């Protein structure tokens, strides 16, 4: 009986594993107090598929999968912040991603490739004091189109689910990094991008200065 319990505990602890790293600027509270609105930009996304999964897709399809994933993550982040805003725990406004992406496109900026621009330049274009950027890697696509397409080829079987998010909150007046949040999880990622964001952002809302 004890052996069964030990095996069960081992499986339980390995079914969901998370690593979290958080950096907060010493003057973060000052930066937050000077922030009225922040914008969430599409992250640099890479869906890491296994070789037997990759062979079913062209490079163009993989690129589109990453872009779809980036937009879903962006929307998921926006919803997460809006929920905190409704609860009264978000200290700043958050720009609608539809507005963010539209403004950038009108300025001729590729929303999936803006690294040549300084945060201060992006902030001036978007009219915000803080921008959220970063990277995201996953072994399982969460956007509906990508997930359905991959399931057709794999029979719904994926490699062990894992995801890593590296997210920067950058002040646009002086290009200073205010918060860096890095989290890696393995195990159950949820059924869609919103579930994944809720898991990735779990317990961090009270640790970043933009929320309370």
């Amino acid at each position: 009986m004890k052996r069964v319990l030990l095996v069960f505990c081992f499986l339980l602890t390995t079914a969901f594993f998370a690593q979290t790293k958080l950096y907060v600027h010493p003057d973060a509270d000052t930066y937050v107090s000077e922030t009225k609105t922040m914008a969430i930009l599409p992250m640099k996304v890479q869906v890491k598929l296994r070789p037997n999964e990759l062979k079913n897709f062209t490079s163009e399809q993989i690129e589109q999968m990453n872009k779809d994933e980036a937009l879903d993550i962006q929307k998921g982040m926006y919803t997460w912040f809006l929920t905190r805003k409704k609860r009264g725990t978000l200290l700043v406004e958050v720009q609608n991603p539809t507005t963010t992406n539209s403004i950038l496109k009108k300025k001729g900026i590729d929303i999936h490739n803006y690294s040549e621009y300084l945060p201060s330049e992006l902030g001036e274009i978007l009219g915000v004091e803080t921008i959220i950027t970063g990277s995201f890697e996953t072994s399982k696509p969460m956007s509906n189109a990508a997930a359905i397409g991959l399931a057709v080829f794999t029979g719904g079987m994926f490699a062990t689910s894992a995801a890593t998010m590296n997210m920067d909150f950058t002040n646009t007046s002086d290009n200073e990094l205010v918060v860096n949040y890095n989290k890696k999880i393995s195990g159950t990622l949820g059924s869609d991008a919103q579930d994944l964001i809720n898991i990735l952002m779990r317990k961090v809302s009270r640790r970043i200065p933009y929320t309370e």
Side-chain angles (χ1 to χ4, degrees):
M1 183 63 180
K2 289 183 178 180
R3 186 173 183 178
V4 173
L5 289 174
L6 286 172
V7 171
F8 175 78
C9 290
F10 173 79
L11 291 174
L12 186 63
T13 54
T14 56
F16 185 83
F17 175 73
Q19 290 179 318
T20 304
K21 295 180 181 179
L22 179 68
Y23 163 80
V24 178
H25 193 284
D27 296 323
D29 289 340
T30 300
Y31 280 114
V32 173
S33 67
E34 296 173 351
T35 296
K36 179 181 179 181
T37 307
M38 61 183 180
I40 308 164
L41 278 66
M43 292 190 177
K44 188 70 174 179
V45 171
Q46 183 178 12
V47 179
K48 292 188 172 182
L49 303 179
R50 294 178 296 182
N52 65 319
E53 295 169 343
L54 281 170
K55 67 181 181 180
N56 296 309
F57 298 91
T58 65
S59 58
E60 290 78 13
Q61 288 174 320
I62 294 295
E63 181 179 0
Q64 188 59 52
M65 184 185 298
N66 291 333
K67 289 181 178 179
D68 291 342
E69 201 76 11
L71 294 178
D72 269 21
I73 293 297
Q74 183 189 29
K75 292 176 183 177
M77 288 296 303
Y78 178 61
T79 300
W80 189 88
F81 280 114
L82 277 187
T83 301
R84 271 73 201 163
K85 187 67 178 178
K86 291 179 180 179
R87 292 176 182 173
T89 59
L90 182 63
L91 303 177
V92 300
E93 299 295 326
V94 57
Q95 190 175 80
N96 191 312
T98 301
T99 300
T100 302
N101 296 345
S102 177
I103 293 173
L104 293 177
K105 289 177 180 178
K106 287 178 180 178
K107 291 292 184 178
I109 300 174
D110 185 345
I111 63 173
H112 297 288
N113 186 19
Y114 47 82
S115 59
E116 63 185 87
Y117 294 89
L118 290 170
S120 55
E121 294 174 317
L122 293 170
E124 183 177 358
I125 291 170
L126 295 170
V128 299
E129 294 74 35
T130 298
I131 60 170
I132 300 176
T133 59
S135 61
F136 176 76
E137 294 182 359
T138 180
S139 61
K140 174 187 175 184
M142 303 302 292
S143 63
N144 290 335
I148 292 172
L150 188 58
V152 169
F153 292 110
T154 65
M157 299 299 293
F158 297 97
T160 301
S161 299
T164 301
M165 174 181 281
N166 188 27
M167 181 168 57
D168 293 333
F169 293 71
T170 307
N171 182 269
T172 60
S173 64
D174 59 3
N175 300 311
E176 191 73 17
L177 178 65
V178 181
V179 174
N180 173 259
Y181 176 62
N182 186 297
K183 186 161 187 174
K184 179 178 181 179
I185 60 173
S186 60
T188 302
L189 301 186
S191 59
D192 55 26
Q194 191 59 62
D195 285 346
L196 178 59
I197 291 300
N198 291 337
I199 293 171
L200 285 167
M201 299 296 287
R202 184 177 294 164
K203 296 183 180 180
V204 75
S205 60
R206 294 183 180 179
R207 298 174 62 189
I208 58 176
Y210 297 91
T211 57
E212 61 181 6

